[in-house]
Amino acid sequence: MNPVSDNENLHAYFDGELQDEERKAVEAMLTEDAEATLAELSFLRQAISVGLEAEAEKIPEARFEQLWDEVERTLERDARLQQAADSDVSLWSRVGAFFKPLLAPTAALAGVAAAAVIYIGSGESEPAENTPVSVASKDEPAQAAADETMPLAPPQDDRIAAHVEADEMPSNSEAEIQRIEFGGKTGRIDRIESKQGITTVIWIDDEDETLDSERAL
Amino acid sequence: MKHRKTIFSRIFPRLSAPIFASSLLPLATVSGALLLAPAQAQAEVTSATCEIHTVLAMKTGDGIPDELGFLAGQLRDDQFAAFKSFRLLESKSLKLKLGETGAATMTSGHQLKLRLLDAETSKLKLHAVLASGEKVLVDTDYRIESNGILLIGGVRHPDGKVFFAIRCRGG
Amino acid sequence: MVRYQRKVYSVAFGYLRNQEDALDVVQEAFIKVHRYLAKFEGNSSFYTWLYRIVTNLCIDHLRKSKRHRALEFDDKLRHESKSGETLGTHHRPLSAMGDPASVLQRQEILDAVQDGLQYLSDKHRAVIIMRELQGMSYAEMATTMGCSKGTIMSRLFHARRNMQKILTEKLEYQPSASNKEPAEKSKKPMKSAEAVMP
């Protein structure tokens, strides 16, 4: 290595970013000018640190108290919103859930009445049968979800290479979590806004330790 | 026969039958249609292909490898600020038909079961269960755009934390 | 967390150069820390974690505000400083002004530092703050700024040279009663500077 007075390598040496061999090589070739550069870098670092700390000292304590009050207000609002989100999903879901039990009897009753009227109106002699119009129905997805024993599809060759293109992602891939249980532990649902759009993250609290208050740190 | 004269025909002597039937039938039809699962009534898609990527987040190391470029935006978020580097441990694929459950067992010891509950062209509804051995960590139903990614994670690993990126595409 | 508030503010102010913007970032950073604390493990890297959150917030803020004026100034500076020039020899070395501990008490030095940071481009200021104040490694800086380590090394090199030049220019005409050394090239490092090197 040629002796240098100031270059990127010298700065990396100053920052402790060189590997052992490189560092020794630089040390062996240090010139007086290079050492002067190192002294300047040291001074500059101190000046920046002291300068910005002095700026921070100018802020009165009361201003930070005000800031902490706002932090607490925001966190309390978060907690209230989280509680509201946890209790129910949406107005339409609630309306739908409320009326869902009434759909089957309503359909059956209407069907019976319609059939009876049509039958009687046709003048046939047979008595109106109290037979509901057959209405196709399907197992509720919610009931299927409650089924803990999920019969599996036949095993597949499931290993793939990760050829995932970020461009293929939809602009809004935020997941709508409709039901969640954390297996006895706690967890949290978060969202990330990034260039790939909005991504939902389900965080599982997989720790046994409890955390101390953050103010105590 | 006398009992065939119903109360309806007494109240609405002439047009009762056709009018009443015509008003009841739509009601019956609508109620019946609402009971029909929306998936069956509206589904244009009956299957999905899901990719499950197991990612290890570590407190040491250097950055995001190229193979995790599709998650780079998410991994740079503050939620992952505690981790300095990430590694793709493995990737698996499941093909699901409507109502069918697929399972992927990862080398990390976790198992992820996915069931396709509902599928439309652009949106999927899935049931996901993440377990570690016999212990269920999370059990959730969610709806997501086709090709969208759901991240589930924060589970312990000797080298850091593991999370799973689940991406399903309808059709 | 309270004990970190001024340190976090100094970092944010370093990036943003505006008191209220810096306080907004401090507030937002502490909110995020509270929200994501459950995901943080151990206390050893809490400071690093906190700093990364602050850095990301500041960078987002800078991207939104798009300050172009400083960038143009920085380009001019970069063209003027030639490779091969040393910080310690071309200009009167700051470290020759006297004992750094007392030199850095002088308000004109502190003001010159603020002016210097103000004139740097956003990218140059960012690498200076990350390295000099936050102690981030080149790899961490590269990840944060979405560039290579080589780019970080280059940016830091030029940022320091520009900062040095600005400081020297600002202080060149400031007579100092305590500075009795002539304004000439100094070829020897200051021993007192070595003693206070981090």
Side-chain angles (χ1 to χ4, degrees), chain A residues 15 53 78 114 142 158:
Chain A
D15 291 328
E53 282 169 12
D78 280 357
D158 53 9

Side-chain angles (χ1 to χ4, degrees), chain A residues 105-168:
Chain A
T106 304
L109 190 64
V112 169
V117 167
I118 290 168
Y119 174 71
I120 291 164
S122 70
E124 290 180 13
S125 60
E126 294 83 9
E129 291 177 5
N130 189 14
T131 308
V133 171
S134 61
V135 177
S137 65
K138 187 190 166 197
D139 288 337
E140 290 300 326
Q143 289 175 358
D147 180 14
E148 290 185 4
T149 59
M150 298 166 73
L152 299 180
Q156 307 164 31
D157 180 11
D158 53 9
R159 289 167 296 175
I160 60 166
H163 294 308
V164 183
E165 295 297 328
D167 294 343
E168 295 173 4

Side-chain angles (χ1 to χ4, degrees), chain A residues 5 15 40 45 59 78, chain C residues 6 35 86 95 132 138 160:
Chain A
S5 52
D15 291 328
E40 285 298 283
R45 175 173 290 170
I59 306 295
D78 280 357
Chain C
R6 289 189 193 274
R35 279 180 185 156
T86 60
S95 53
E132 310 296 18
Y138 287 4
R160 281 168 165 161

Side-chain angles (χ1 to χ4, degrees), chain A:
Chain A
M1 183 183 287
N2 295 325
V4 290
S5 52
D6 187 18
N7 68 4
E8 292 175 16
N9 231 27
L10 187 67
H11 285 232
Y13 168 76
F14 172 71
D15 291 328
E17 289 280 340
L18 295 181
Q19 302 296 324
D20 279 347
E21 281 187 18
E22 286 176 306
R23 182 177 49 78
K24 286 174 186 166
V26 168
E27 281 171 352
M29 303 295 285
L30 278 179
T31 60
E32 283 188 4
D33 286 348
E35 295 208 22
T37 300
L38 293 175
E40 285 298 283
L41 290 175
S42 174
F43 188 94
L44 187 63
R45 175 173 290 170
Q46 277 194 285
I48 291 167
S49 178
V50 170
L52 287 171
E53 282 169 12
E55 278 299 319
E57 289 305 317
K58 291 179 185 173
I59 306 295
E61 191 61 31
R63 184 64 184 86
F64 282 111
E65 288 295 324
Q66 196 181 7
L67 185 150
W68 280 112
D69 287 344
E70 191 53 44
V71 169
E72 285 191 32
R73 272 196 288 275
T74 303
L75 294 173
E76 280 166 13
R77 189 172 61 236
D78 280 357
R80 283 198 300 275
L81 289 172
Q82 185 70 37
Q83 274 182 358
D86 289 344
S87 60
D88 223 330
V89 182
S90 71
L91 176 64
W92 285 114
S93 301
R94 278 181 275 161
V95 167
F98 179 78
F99 282 108
K100 213 172 224 181
L102 302 176
L103 282 176
T106 304
L109 190 64
V112 169
V117 167
I118 290 168
Y119 174 71
I120 291 164
S122 70
E124 290 180 13
S125 60
E126 294 83 9
E129 291 177 5
N130 189 14
T131 308
V133 171
S134 61
V135 177
S137 65
K138 187 190 166 197
D139 288 337
E140 290 300 326
Q143 289 175 358
D147 180 14
E148 290 185 4
T149 59
M150 298 166 73
L152 299 180
Q156 307 164 31
D157 180 11
D158 53 9
R159 289 167 296 175
I160 60 166
H163 294 308
V164 183
E165 295 297 328
D167 294 343
E168 295 173 4
M169 277 190 64
S171 58
N172 179 15
S173 64
E174 184 175 9
E176 180 196 329
I177 304 296
Q178 299 186 326
R179 182 192 65 84
I180 191 162
E181 291 166 24
F182 282 103
K185 298 249 179 203
T186 56
R188 181 187 178 95
I189 302 167
D190 266 316
R191 56 206 292 270
I192 293 172
E193 292 185 39
S194 65
K195 285 180 190 171
Q196 282 87 357
I198 301 175
T199 304
T200 302
V201 186
I202 298 174
W203 286 100
I204 300 165
D205 181 11
D206 197 18
E207 297 302 322
D208 294 324
E209 308 83 39
T210 55
L211 293 166
D212 293 330
S213 163
E214 49 275 358
R215 291 284 181 100
L217 288 170

Side-chain angles (χ1 to χ4, degrees), chain B residues 57-127:
Chain B
M58 297 175 284
K59 287 190 173 293
T60 56
D62 190 359
I64 301 167
D66 291 341
E67 57 193 358
L68 284 174
F70 69 102
L71 282 180
Q74 290 89 337
L75 298 181
R76 289 205 176 99
D77 189 78
D78 291 333
Q79 295 187 42
F80 294 96
F83 306 105
K84 291 190 179 178
S85 68
F86 302 87
R87 183 153 50 102
L88 178 65
L89 294 181
E90 66 185 313
S91 298
K92 296 216 164 180
S93 172
L94 294 174
K95 289 195 173 72
L96 304 174
K97 290 186 184 164
L98 200 58
E100 217 173 63
T101 301
T105 302
M106 271 61 80
T107 54
S108 61
H110 298 93
Q111 190 186 47
L112 184 69
K113 286 184 187 173
L114 286 174
R115 184 171 186 168
L116 183 62
L117 300 175
D118 186 0
E120 298 164 24
T121 309
S122 62
K123 227 161 179 135
L124 306 171
K125 185 176 174 185
L126 295 130
H127 174 204

